[in-house]
Structure formats: structure tokens, C-alpha cells
Amino acid sequence: MLNKQPIGIFDSGYGGLTVFRSIADQLPDYDYIYLGDNARAPYGNRSFNTIHEYTWQCVQMLFEMGCPLVILACNTASAKALRTIQQRDLIHEDPSKRVLGVIRPTAEVIGNYTQTKQIGVLGTKGTVQSKSYLIEINNFFPEVKVHQQACPLWVPLVENGEHDQPGADYFVKKYLDQVLAKSTEIDTLLLACTHYPLLQGKITAYLPKHIKVVPQGDIVAASLKDYLNRHSEMEQKLTKGHTRQFFTTSDDTDDFDHHASMFFSEQVKSEYASLK
Ligand code: DGL
């Protein structure tokens, strides 16, 4: 495996596969390793320290598997662990390695989607509490007002395969009502959680027609493409064998494969990665 230098994609579980789908579509030639920490997912309600500890452990596993570049395809991990990893851990471990998240690339462009300059950001409790989107979007678009909404029941709905069932409608409506009550001027809703694209059909059906729903997979993939164009020292390290390997920290790889195909829109065969 070490003769390959794949791009590592990390998520707390399955959700990052929606981001990986877009990355694999836009950058098909590279080798990839996906790692889902399903044994300890979801991360959404966990503390800052725990999310950092778990994320850094998984990033190190991806480094050991040969990845010089790791994407945290998880909003919660990007919000709560990325800064410490970039500013502290990497310097001790190996400064030539890179870890990138999903929040900054999304914040860089989301302001271009709104006419009214009012955006709703839907995420996990952890992402919302971190205020990362609020801060990052206001860095790039100071004129945009950001209304955050935590949707803590949406991840469990998706994880339990209930997202396309009639019972999900109640919880979709509940959080959309809450965010829309914050301002009548919102014309853009950002799905700032990897699981929410699976609810996009129900979300769109419930909203007034003038409100745009923006998932982030394509945005993150376009940003990675741009990053690799600008960083030839990293681009040249990465191998291009068009392989995709999937690892999960859960010992039930069949269960992972079953769920993963739903998120990745393709059959997946995973291997078990044991947490030390
Ligand atoms: N992947 C997480 C995110 O994007 C959602 C799942 C979790 O809470 O671990 O925020």
C-alpha cells in the first residue's frame, strides 16, 4: 500500500461519502482511501477535546496508510479539530503533510449564491456551537448575515435509513420552520453537514421556491482541484492509479457497505481498520 500516495478522506462515519462522491467525480484519476470512524460516530454532539482526539487519531491512521494529504470531509471535525491539527499537531508529526477541511472552501463561495445577503446554515450542534461558519463567511462576505440552525435529529434519521420515509417530514419541517423564523429574507440554505444531501428532496419540497438549497460536495471538490493546481509540490506526490479503498473502524463491514452505497451512489466493499 505504501508505494501509493493516495488522498485520504476522513469522516466520522458514512456522511463524508457525499463529499467523496463529488471529489471522485471531479478528480477521478487519483488514488483515494476513505476512512469512516463508525465505531465512534456520530461526532455531532461530542465535546471539542473528544472530537479533536478522535479526528487526529484517524488522520494519523491515514498518514500511516501513505496519504500525504487528508481531507476532513466532516463539518463537525472541520469545525472542532482542524485548527489544532493544522497549527499544532502537524508541526510535531510531519510538516510536509497537509490536512484540509470543508468549512473554509464552502465559506469562500457561499456568499455568491445569495441576492438578499441572508443565508441559513444548517448543521450539527457541534458545528453550530463552534460558530465556524459565522466567522468564516463573515471574513469573506462581511455584508452577508448568517442564521445558524442546529438540526440534531437529521443525522440519526439518515443513519437509520428513515430519511425517505413519511415520518422524516415532521423533523425536516421542524428545523426549517425554526431557521426560516429567524428572517424572512433568507434566500439560500447551506447544508453544512455531510448527511443532509440525503434529505435534500424533502427539504426542497418543503421550502418556498425562491430559496436555494446548497449542498457542499461540489464546492469542496472544486476547491480541492484548485488547491492541487496551486500546490504542485503536493500534486506531484499523489499517485494516480484510480483506486478507491474504504476503511471503517466498525467491525461490521457489511453494515458499512450497505449504508455506504446509499451515500456514495456506488457499491462499496470496505475493510476493518482497528483503533489502537
Ligand atoms: N459528518 C458530520 C458532519 O458533517 C455529521 C455526522 C456526525 O455528527 O458525526 O457534521
Side-chain angles (χ1 to χ4, degrees), residues 76-136:
T76 310
S78 299
K80 296 217 164 179
L82 182 62
R83 187 181 295 264
T84 314
I85 290 175
Q86 285 177 332
Q87 295 182 355
R88 193 191 69 192
D89 304 330
L90 275 183
I91 293 164
H92 296 297
E93 173 83 15
D94 181 349
S96 72
K97 301 264 201 307
R98 288 288 174 271
V99 179
L100 306 174
V102 291
I103 296 181
R104 191 190 158 109
T106 308
E108 268 174 11
V109 298
I110 194 66
N112 298 327
Y113 288 75
T114 171
Q115 304 280 317
T116 59
K117 309 288 174 219
Q118 303 236 12
I119 294 178
V121 172
L122 308 172
T124 64
K125 209 169 111 195
T127 299
V128 166
Q129 275 172 352
S130 76
K131 297 197 172 73
S132 301
Y133 274 102
L134 214 77
I135 296 162
E136 293 275 0

Tab-separated table of all heavy atoms in Angstrom, residues 76-136:
chain	number	residue	atom	x	y	z
A	76	THR	N	-18.269	18.715	11.427
A	76	THR	CA	-18.037	18.758	12.868
A	76	THR	C	-16.536	18.672	13.164
A	76	THR	O	-16.000	19.450	13.965
A	76	THR	CB	-18.804	17.614	13.558
A	76	THR	OG1	-20.161	17.644	13.104
A	76	THR	CG2	-18.784	17.744	15.050
A	77	ALA	N	-15.843	17.760	12.500
A	77	ALA	CA	-14.393	17.628	12.693
A	77	ALA	C	-13.666	18.857	12.160
A	77	ALA	O	-12.702	19.332	12.775
A	77	ALA	CB	-13.887	16.363	11.998
A	78	SER	N	-14.133	19.396	11.035
A	78	SER	CA	-13.502	20.611	10.496
A	78	SER	C	-13.680	21.775	11.463
A	78	SER	O	-12.784	22.589	11.652
A	78	SER	CB	-14.118	20.988	9.147
A	78	SER	OG	-13.923	19.973	8.197
A	79	ALA	N	-14.868	21.837	12.083
A	79	ALA	CA	-15.159	22.949	12.995
A	79	ALA	C	-14.361	22.833	14.286
A	79	ALA	O	-13.894	23.821	14.836
A	79	ALA	CB	-16.655	22.985	13.311
A	80	LYS	N	-14.197	21.604	14.777
A	80	LYS	CA	-13.666	21.465	16.138
A	80	LYS	C	-12.241	20.926	16.215
A	80	LYS	O	-11.620	21.025	17.268
A	80	LYS	CB	-14.592	20.552	16.947
A	80	LYS	CG	-15.976	21.163	17.107
A	80	LYS	CD	-16.545	20.860	18.447
A	80	LYS	CE	-17.710	21.739	18.776
A	80	LYS	NZ	-18.294	21.434	20.064
A	81	ALA	N	-11.712	20.335	15.149
A	81	ALA	CA	-10.384	19.717	15.256
A	81	ALA	C	-9.367	20.289	14.279
A	81	ALA	O	-8.160	20.231	14.539
A	81	ALA	CB	-10.503	18.206	15.035
A	82	LEU	N	-9.812	20.839	13.164
A	82	LEU	CA	-8.872	21.192	12.093
A	82	LEU	C	-7.823	22.221	12.517
A	82	LEU	O	-6.637	22.044	12.242
A	82	LEU	CB	-9.652	21.703	10.866
A	82	LEU	CG	-8.783	22.067	9.662
A	82	LEU	CD1	-8.034	20.850	9.142
A	82	LEU	CD2	-9.637	22.661	8.536
A	83	ARG	N	-8.256	23.252	13.192
A	83	ARG	CA	-7.304	24.310	13.552
A	83	ARG	C	-6.166	23.761	14.421
A	83	ARG	O	-4.992	24.020	14.173
A	83	ARG	CB	-8.039	25.441	14.284
A	83	ARG	CG	-7.157	26.653	14.546
A	83	ARG	CD	-7.952	27.707	15.290
A	83	ARG	NE	-9.025	28.205	14.449
A	83	ARG	CZ	-8.928	29.306	13.726
A	83	ARG	NH1	-7.823	30.005	13.732
A	83	ARG	NH2	-9.945	29.722	12.984
A	84	THR	N	-6.491	22.954	15.435
A	84	THR	CA	-5.461	22.390	16.318
A	84	THR	C	-4.545	21.455	15.528
A	84	THR	O	-3.327	21.431	15.733
A	84	THR	CB	-6.126	21.613	17.488
A	84	THR	OG1	-7.164	22.412	18.014
A	84	THR	CG2	-5.141	21.278	18.577
A	85	ILE	N	-5.132	20.684	14.621
A	85	ILE	CA	-4.312	19.775	13.817
A	85	ILE	C	-3.340	20.574	12.936
A	85	ILE	O	-2.148	20.290	12.892
A	85	ILE	CB	-5.218	18.848	12.963
A	85	ILE	CG1	-5.934	17.849	13.868
A	85	ILE	CG2	-4.409	18.133	11.879
A	85	ILE	CD1	-6.949	16.954	13.170
A	86	GLN	N	-3.880	21.610	12.273
A	86	GLN	CA	-3.028	22.390	11.362
A	86	GLN	C	-1.983	23.190	12.130
A	86	GLN	O	-0.830	23.280	11.716
A	86	GLN	CB	-3.886	23.365	10.541
A	86	GLN	CG	-4.661	22.682	9.436
A	86	GLN	CD	-5.559	23.657	8.669
A	86	GLN	OE1	-6.000	24.666	9.208
A	86	GLN	NE2	-5.840	23.342	7.418
A	87	GLN	N	-2.379	23.774	13.251
A	87	GLN	CA	-1.473	24.713	13.922
A	87	GLN	C	-0.571	24.054	14.969
A	87	GLN	O	0.431	24.631	15.345
A	87	GLN	CB	-2.283	25.837	14.571
A	87	GLN	CG	-2.975	26.669	13.494
A	87	GLN	CD	-3.757	27.843	14.064
A	87	GLN	OE1	-3.869	27.993	15.283
A	87	GLN	NE2	-4.312	28.648	13.187
A	88	ARG	N	-0.932	22.849	15.444
A	88	ARG	CA	-0.113	22.231	16.485
A	88	ARG	C	0.367	20.838	16.097
A	88	ARG	O	1.563	20.596	15.981
A	88	ARG	CB	-0.916	22.154	17.788
A	88	ARG	CG	-0.077	21.836	18.993
A	88	ARG	CD	-0.918	21.519	20.202
A	88	ARG	NE	-1.638	20.241	20.056
A	88	ARG	CZ	-2.622	19.826	20.858
A	88	ARG	NH1	-3.037	20.602	21.840
A	88	ARG	NH2	-3.199	18.653	20.672
A	89	ASP	N	-0.582	19.933	15.830
A	89	ASP	CA	-0.220	18.516	15.667
A	89	ASP	C	0.695	18.259	14.463
A	89	ASP	O	1.655	17.498	14.556
A	89	ASP	CB	-1.483	17.657	15.518
A	89	ASP	CG	-2.443	17.849	16.685
A	89	ASP	OD1	-1.962	18.134	17.798
A	89	ASP	OD2	-3.654	17.714	16.475
A	90	LEU	N	0.386	18.872	13.324
A	90	LEU	CA	1.147	18.590	12.109
A	90	LEU	C	2.599	19.009	12.246
A	90	LEU	O	3.492	18.368	11.702
A	90	LEU	CB	0.524	19.320	10.906
A	90	LEU	CG	-0.624	18.616	10.202
A	90	LEU	CD1	-1.081	19.433	8.997
A	90	LEU	CD2	-0.214	17.219	9.747
A	91	ILE	N	2.824	20.082	12.968
A	91	ILE	CA	4.191	20.598	13.143
A	91	ILE	C	5.040	19.550	13.861
A	91	ILE	O	6.189	19.305	13.511
A	91	ILE	CB	4.151	21.940	13.903
A	91	ILE	CG1	3.462	22.959	12.995
A	91	ILE	CG2	5.542	22.411	14.323
A	91	ILE	CD1	2.983	24.215	13.677
A	92	HIS	N	4.451	18.843	14.846
A	92	HIS	CA	5.189	17.803	15.576
A	92	HIS	C	5.289	16.518	14.751
A	92	HIS	O	6.302	15.842	14.753
A	92	HIS	CB	4.493	17.483	16.905
A	92	HIS	CG	4.484	18.647	17.829
A	92	HIS	ND1	5.637	19.212	18.324
A	92	HIS	CD2	3.461	19.383	18.339
A	92	HIS	CE1	5.331	20.236	19.096
A	92	HIS	NE2	4.016	20.369	19.127
A	93	GLU	N	4.230	16.180	14.044
A	93	GLU	CA	4.157	14.888	13.347
A	93	GLU	C	4.991	14.916	12.071
A	93	GLU	O	5.927	14.152	11.918
A	93	GLU	CB	2.682	14.587	13.023
A	93	GLU	CG	2.428	13.366	12.158
A	93	GLU	CD	2.398	12.075	12.956
A	93	GLU	OE1	2.299	12.145	14.196
A	93	GLU	OE2	2.493	11.006	12.316
A	94	ASP	N	4.614	15.771	11.119
A	94	ASP	CA	5.302	15.838	9.834
A	94	ASP	C	4.780	17.068	9.081
A	94	ASP	O	3.700	17.035	8.495
A	94	ASP	CB	5.004	14.563	9.027
A	94	ASP	CG	5.717	14.568	7.686
A	94	ASP	OD1	6.257	15.624	7.307
A	94	ASP	OD2	5.721	13.517	7.025
A	95	PRO	N	5.565	18.136	9.090
A	95	PRO	CA	5.087	19.386	8.470
A	95	PRO	C	4.882	19.284	6.954
A	95	PRO	O	4.263	20.176	6.371
A	95	PRO	CB	6.195	20.396	8.792
A	95	PRO	CG	7.073	19.743	9.790
A	95	PRO	CD	6.880	18.269	9.704
A	96	SER	N	5.365	18.203	6.340
A	96	SER	CA	5.156	18.085	4.886
A	96	SER	C	3.754	17.558	4.558
A	96	SER	O	3.295	17.609	3.430
A	96	SER	CB	6.202	17.152	4.264
A	96	SER	OG	5.922	15.818	4.637
A	97	LYS	N	3.065	17.027	5.577
A	97	LYS	CA	1.702	16.511	5.362
A	97	LYS	C	0.701	17.669	5.427
A	97	LYS	O	0.953	18.673	6.081
A	97	LYS	CB	1.343	15.494	6.452
A	97	LYS	CG	2.293	14.296	6.515
A	97	LYS	CD	1.736	13.148	5.757
A	97	LYS	CE	2.276	11.797	6.112
A	97	LYS	NZ	3.691	11.574	6.122
A	98	ARG	N	-0.426	17.491	4.785
A	98	ARG	CA	-1.444	18.532	4.787
A	98	ARG	C	-2.805	17.953	5.177
A	98	ARG	O	-3.159	16.831	4.757
A	98	ARG	CB	-1.599	19.169	3.397
A	98	ARG	CG	-0.456	20.057	2.995
A	98	ARG	CD	-0.465	21.380	3.791
A	98	ARG	NE	0.732	22.170	3.506
A	98	ARG	CZ	1.891	22.077	4.169
A	98	ARG	NH1	2.008	21.243	5.179
A	98	ARG	NH2	2.913	22.835	3.838
A	99	VAL	N	-3.564	18.716	5.954
A	99	VAL	CA	-4.930	18.345	6.311
A	99	VAL	C	-5.817	19.557	5.995
A	99	VAL	O	-5.534	20.671	6.443
A	99	VAL	CB	-5.048	17.972	7.809
A	99	VAL	CG1	-6.478	17.606	8.159
A	99	VAL	CG2	-4.110	16.808	8.152
A	100	LEU	N	-6.851	19.327	5.197
A	100	LEU	CA	-7.763	20.402	4.796
A	100	LEU	C	-9.181	20.055	5.239
A	100	LEU	O	-9.527	18.884	5.355
A	100	LEU	CB	-7.735	20.589	3.269
A	100	LEU	CG	-6.364	20.822	2.619
A	100	LEU	CD1	-6.501	20.836	1.096
A	100	LEU	CD2	-5.755	22.135	3.100
A	101	GLY	N	-10.006	21.071	5.426
A	101	GLY	CA	-11.380	20.836	5.877
A	101	GLY	C	-12.412	21.241	4.839
A	101	GLY	O	-12.063	21.532	3.677
A	102	VAL	N	-13.662	21.273	5.248
A	102	VAL	CA	-14.744	21.596	4.309
A	102	VAL	C	-15.381	22.968	4.568
A	102	VAL	O	-16.153	23.440	3.748
A	102	VAL	CB	-15.866	20.512	4.348
A	102	VAL	CG1	-15.381	19.215	3.758
A	102	VAL	CG2	-16.406	20.302	5.761
A	103	ILE	N	-15.042	23.591	5.695
A	103	ILE	CA	-15.742	24.831	6.042
A	103	ILE	C	-15.215	26.032	5.259
A	103	ILE	O	-15.981	26.767	4.643
A	103	ILE	CB	-15.674	25.076	7.568
A	103	ILE	CG1	-16.438	23.944	8.271
A	103	ILE	CG2	-16.260	26.444	7.935
A	103	ILE	CD1	-16.502	24.031	9.765
A	104	ARG	N	-13.899	26.186	5.250
A	104	ARG	CA	-13.335	27.344	4.547
A	104	ARG	C	-13.695	27.363	3.053
A	104	ARG	O	-14.170	28.387	2.556
A	104	ARG	CB	-11.827	27.389	4.758
A	104	ARG	CG	-11.238	28.683	4.285
A	104	ARG	CD	-9.717	28.625	4.278
A	104	ARG	NE	-9.246	29.632	3.364
A	104	ARG	CZ	-8.646	30.743	3.748
A	104	ARG	NH1	-8.419	30.980	5.004
A	104	ARG	NH2	-8.258	31.629	2.851
A	105	PRO	N	-13.503	26.239	2.330
A	105	PRO	CA	-13.863	26.298	0.905
A	105	PRO	C	-15.330	26.631	0.671
A	105	PRO	O	-15.677	27.311	-0.298
A	105	PRO	CB	-13.540	24.892	0.372
A	105	PRO	CG	-13.213	24.053	1.538
A	105	PRO	CD	-12.885	24.948	2.690
A	106	THR	N	-16.191	26.186	1.575
A	106	THR	CA	-17.621	26.483	1.426
A	106	THR	C	-17.884	27.962	1.730
A	106	THR	O	-18.609	28.645	0.992
A	106	THR	CB	-18.443	25.587	2.378
A	106	THR	OG1	-18.058	24.223	2.172
A	106	THR	CG2	-19.926	25.727	2.135
A	107	ALA	N	-17.258	28.447	2.804
A	107	ALA	CA	-17.452	29.857	3.194
A	107	ALA	C	-16.941	30.810	2.113
A	107	ALA	O	-17.498	31.892	1.921
A	107	ALA	CB	-16.735	30.126	4.516
A	108	GLU	N	-15.908	30.389	1.398
A	108	GLU	CA	-15.313	31.246	0.358
A	108	GLU	C	-16.278	31.592	-0.766
A	108	GLU	O	-16.121	32.606	-1.423
A	108	GLU	CB	-14.101	30.539	-0.263
A	108	GLU	CG	-12.793	30.879	0.403
A	108	GLU	CD	-11.648	30.047	-0.158
A	108	GLU	OE1	-11.829	29.358	-1.189
A	108	GLU	OE2	-10.577	30.076	0.446
A	109	VAL	N	-17.241	30.707	-1.032
A	109	VAL	CA	-18.114	30.932	-2.196
A	109	VAL	C	-19.598	31.116	-1.860
A	109	VAL	O	-20.351	31.602	-2.693
A	109	VAL	CB	-17.988	29.780	-3.232
A	109	VAL	CG1	-16.558	29.696	-3.762
A	109	VAL	CG2	-18.439	28.451	-2.670
A	110	ILE	N	-20.025	30.729	-0.662
A	110	ILE	CA	-21.471	30.663	-0.393
A	110	ILE	C	-22.132	32.043	-0.502
A	110	ILE	O	-23.300	32.156	-0.896
A	110	ILE	CB	-21.767	29.978	0.976
A	110	ILE	CG1	-23.241	29.614	1.096
A	110	ILE	CG2	-21.301	30.777	2.163
A	110	ILE	CD1	-23.728	28.554	0.150
A	111	GLY	N	-21.375	33.094	-0.224
A	111	GLY	CA	-21.924	34.448	-0.331
A	111	GLY	C	-22.330	34.813	-1.751
A	111	GLY	O	-23.148	35.719	-1.958
A	112	ASN	N	-21.771	34.108	-2.738
A	112	ASN	CA	-22.120	34.392	-4.142
A	112	ASN	C	-23.502	33.849	-4.517
A	112	ASN	O	-24.016	34.177	-5.577
A	112	ASN	CB	-21.088	33.757	-5.087
A	112	ASN	CG	-19.702	34.330	-4.855
A	112	ASN	OD1	-19.566	35.495	-4.521
A	112	ASN	ND2	-18.674	33.503	-5.024
A	113	TYR	N	-24.083	33.006	-3.673
A	113	TYR	CA	-25.369	32.384	-4.012
A	113	TYR	C	-26.553	33.260	-3.608
A	113	TYR	O	-27.657	33.041	-4.049
A	113	TYR	CB	-25.520	31.035	-3.300
A	113	TYR	CG	-24.648	29.938	-3.839
A	113	TYR	CD1	-23.285	29.878	-3.588
A	113	TYR	CD2	-25.203	28.912	-4.615
A	113	TYR	CE1	-22.488	28.858	-4.082
A	113	TYR	CE2	-24.415	27.883	-5.110
A	113	TYR	CZ	-23.055	27.865	-4.840
A	113	TYR	OH	-22.277	26.847	-5.331
A	114	THR	N	-26.319	34.216	-2.705
A	114	THR	CA	-27.468	34.941	-2.153
A	114	THR	C	-27.647	36.326	-2.790
A	114	THR	O	-26.671	37.046	-3.005
A	114	THR	CB	-27.341	35.084	-0.613
A	114	THR	OG1	-28.342	35.964	-0.138
A	114	THR	CG2	-25.995	35.594	-0.159
A	115	GLN	N	-28.909	36.659	-3.083
A	115	GLN	CA	-29.247	38.007	-3.578
A	115	GLN	C	-29.577	38.914	-2.396
A	115	GLN	O	-29.237	40.080	-2.381
A	115	GLN	CB	-30.510	37.940	-4.461
A	115	GLN	CG	-30.438	36.970	-5.632
A	115	GLN	CD	-29.679	37.572	-6.787
A	115	GLN	OE1	-29.870	38.732	-7.103
A	115	GLN	NE2	-28.818	36.778	-7.409
A	116	THR	N	-30.270	38.322	-1.411
A	116	THR	CA	-30.764	39.123	-0.284
A	116	THR	C	-29.688	39.334	0.788
A	116	THR	O	-29.903	40.086	1.735
A	116	THR	CB	-31.943	38.406	0.406
A	116	THR	OG1	-31.476	37.116	0.869
A	116	THR	CG2	-33.114	38.207	-0.538
A	117	LYS	N	-28.551	38.625	0.643
A	117	LYS	CA	-27.447	38.689	1.624
A	117	LYS	C	-27.856	38.123	2.981
A	117	LYS	O	-27.413	38.570	4.030
A	117	LYS	CB	-26.920	40.134	1.806
A	117	LYS	CG	-26.578	40.825	0.496
A	117	LYS	CD	-25.315	40.244	-0.112
A	117	LYS	CE	-25.008	40.806	-1.488
A	117	LYS	NZ	-24.495	39.832	-2.419
A	118	GLN	N	-28.728	37.135	2.933
A	118	GLN	CA	-29.133	36.446	4.161
A	118	GLN	C	-29.108	34.945	3.891
A	118	GLN	O	-29.815	34.453	3.006
A	118	GLN	CB	-30.547	36.863	4.575
A	118	GLN	CG	-30.672	38.343	4.765
A	118	GLN	CD	-31.185	38.720	6.144
A	118	GLN	OE1	-31.247	37.902	7.057
A	118	GLN	NE2	-31.543	39.965	6.302
A	119	ILE	N	-28.289	34.242	4.670
A	119	ILE	CA	-28.083	32.804	4.447
A	119	ILE	C	-28.455	32.031	5.706
A	119	ILE	O	-28.132	32.463	6.823
A	119	ILE	CB	-26.589	32.523	4.141
A	119	ILE	CG1	-26.193	33.166	2.811
A	119	ILE	CG2	-26.281	31.037	4.108
A	119	ILE	CD1	-24.729	32.968	2.481
A	120	GLY	N	-29.081	30.891	5.537
A	120	GLY	CA	-29.300	29.970	6.650
A	120	GLY	C	-28.262	28.858	6.558
A	120	GLY	O	-28.005	28.334	5.474
A	121	VAL	N	-27.630	28.537	7.683
A	121	VAL	CA	-26.639	27.454	7.716
A	121	VAL	C	-27.177	26.351	8.621
A	121	VAL	O	-27.411	26.577	9.816
A	121	VAL	CB	-25.274	27.964	8.232
A	121	VAL	CG1	-24.308	26.807	8.445
A	121	VAL	CG2	-24.670	28.973	7.251
A	122	LEU	N	-27.381	25.171	8.064
A	122	LEU	CA	-27.919	24.031	8.815
A	122	LEU	C	-26.786	23.055	9.113
A	122	LEU	O	-26.060	22.646	8.203
A	122	LEU	CB	-28.997	23.326	7.976
A	122	LEU	CG	-30.101	24.228	7.414
A	122	LEU	CD1	-30.990	23.448	6.446
A	122	LEU	CD2	-30.939	24.800	8.547
A	123	GLY	N	-26.618	22.692	10.382
A	123	GLY	CA	-25.514	21.789	10.737
A	123	GLY	C	-25.798	21.042	12.019
A	123	GLY	O	-26.893	21.156	12.601
A	124	THR	N	-24.798	20.293	12.477
A	124	THR	CA	-24.942	19.598	13.765
A	124	THR	C	-24.790	20.626	14.889
A	124	THR	O	-24.358	21.757	14.661
A	124	THR	CB	-23.855	18.517	13.956
A	124	THR	OG1	-22.576	19.171	14.005
A	124	THR	CG2	-23.887	17.486	12.846
A	125	LYS	N	-25.116	20.169	16.100
A	125	LYS	CA	-24.963	21.030	17.272
A	125	LYS	C	-23.515	21.518	17.391
A	125	LYS	O	-23.255	22.690	17.627
A	125	LYS	CB	-25.357	20.223	18.515
A	125	LYS	CG	-25.913	21.024	19.640
A	125	LYS	CD	-26.511	20.098	20.693
A	125	LYS	CE	-25.670	20.139	21.946
A	125	LYS	NZ	-25.914	19.081	22.902
A	126	GLY	N	-22.574	20.604	17.180
A	126	GLY	CA	-21.146	20.944	17.311
A	126	GLY	C	-20.727	22.007	16.314
A	126	GLY	O	-20.017	22.959	16.660
A	127	THR	N	-21.163	21.855	15.074
A	127	THR	CA	-20.798	22.823	14.038
A	127	THR	C	-21.394	24.186	14.367
A	127	THR	O	-20.722	25.210	14.275
A	127	THR	CB	-21.307	22.321	12.657
A	127	THR	OG1	-20.668	21.081	12.384
A	127	THR	CG2	-21.004	23.296	11.555
A	128	VAL	N	-22.648	24.189	14.771
A	128	VAL	CA	-23.319	25.460	15.078
A	128	VAL	C	-22.664	26.129	16.288
A	128	VAL	O	-22.343	27.319	16.267
A	128	VAL	CB	-24.835	25.223	15.296
A	128	VAL	CG1	-25.509	26.411	15.946
A	128	VAL	CG2	-25.496	24.897	13.955
A	129	GLN	N	-22.413	25.350	17.350
A	129	GLN	CA	-21.821	25.924	18.569
A	129	GLN	C	-20.438	26.519	18.306
A	129	GLN	O	-20.036	27.491	18.923
A	129	GLN	CB	-21.697	24.854	19.653
A	129	GLN	CG	-22.963	24.702	20.449
A	129	GLN	CD	-22.898	23.499	21.390
A	129	GLN	OE1	-21.955	22.708	21.338
A	129	GLN	NE2	-23.898	23.358	22.230
A	130	SER	N	-19.692	25.913	17.386
A	130	SER	CA	-18.336	26.405	17.105
A	130	SER	C	-18.358	27.785	16.439
A	130	SER	O	-17.353	28.480	16.427
A	130	SER	CB	-17.604	25.431	16.179
A	130	SER	OG	-18.084	25.573	14.843
A	131	LYS	N	-19.494	28.157	15.843
A	131	LYS	CA	-19.651	29.422	15.105
A	131	LYS	C	-18.671	29.535	13.930
A	131	LYS	O	-18.403	30.638	13.435
A	131	LYS	CB	-19.493	30.635	16.033
A	131	LYS	CG	-20.545	30.743	17.126
A	131	LYS	CD	-20.525	32.174	17.682
A	131	LYS	CE	-21.647	32.470	18.624
A	131	LYS	NZ	-21.597	31.888	19.930
A	132	SER	N	-18.101	28.412	13.502
A	132	SER	CA	-17.086	28.453	12.438
A	132	SER	C	-17.637	29.060	11.156
A	132	SER	O	-16.959	29.851	10.502
A	132	SER	CB	-16.561	27.050	12.143
A	132	SER	OG	-16.008	26.499	13.286
A	133	TYR	N	-18.859	28.661	10.769
A	133	TYR	CA	-19.426	29.210	9.525
A	133	TYR	C	-19.702	30.708	9.651
A	133	TYR	O	-19.464	31.477	8.716
A	133	TYR	CB	-20.702	28.459	9.129
A	133	TYR	CG	-20.388	27.221	8.327
A	133	TYR	CD1	-20.414	25.962	8.914
A	133	TYR	CD2	-20.030	27.310	6.989
A	133	TYR	CE1	-20.098	24.835	8.186
A	133	TYR	CE2	-19.712	26.187	6.249
A	133	TYR	CZ	-19.750	24.954	6.848
A	133	TYR	OH	-19.414	23.837	6.114
A	134	LEU	N	-20.198	31.088	10.808
A	134	LEU	CA	-20.486	32.509	11.053
A	134	LEU	C	-19.218	33.333	10.845
A	134	LEU	O	-19.195	34.323	10.107
A	134	LEU	CB	-20.945	32.627	12.510
A	134	LEU	CG	-21.975	33.644	12.869
A	134	LEU	CD1	-23.337	33.124	12.422
A	134	LEU	CD2	-22.001	33.826	14.387
A	135	ILE	N	-18.142	32.867	11.480
A	135	ILE	CA	-16.873	33.605	11.437
A	135	ILE	C	-16.283	33.578	10.029
A	135	ILE	O	-15.919	34.612	9.465
A	135	ILE	CB	-15.887	33.003	12.471
A	135	ILE	CG1	-16.448	33.196	13.881
A	135	ILE	CG2	-14.497	33.615	12.331
A	135	ILE	CD1	-15.811	32.302	14.949
A	136	GLU	N	-16.225	32.390	9.427
A	136	GLU	CA	-15.573	32.254	8.111
A	136	GLU	C	-16.360	32.981	7.023
A	136	GLU	O	-15.777	33.651	6.177
A	136	GLU	CB	-15.406	30.780	7.734
A	136	GLU	CG	-14.430	30.016	8.618
A	136	GLU	CD	-12.975	30.156	8.175
A	136	GLU	OE1	-12.699	30.850	7.182
A	136	GLU	OE2	-12.121	29.554	8.845
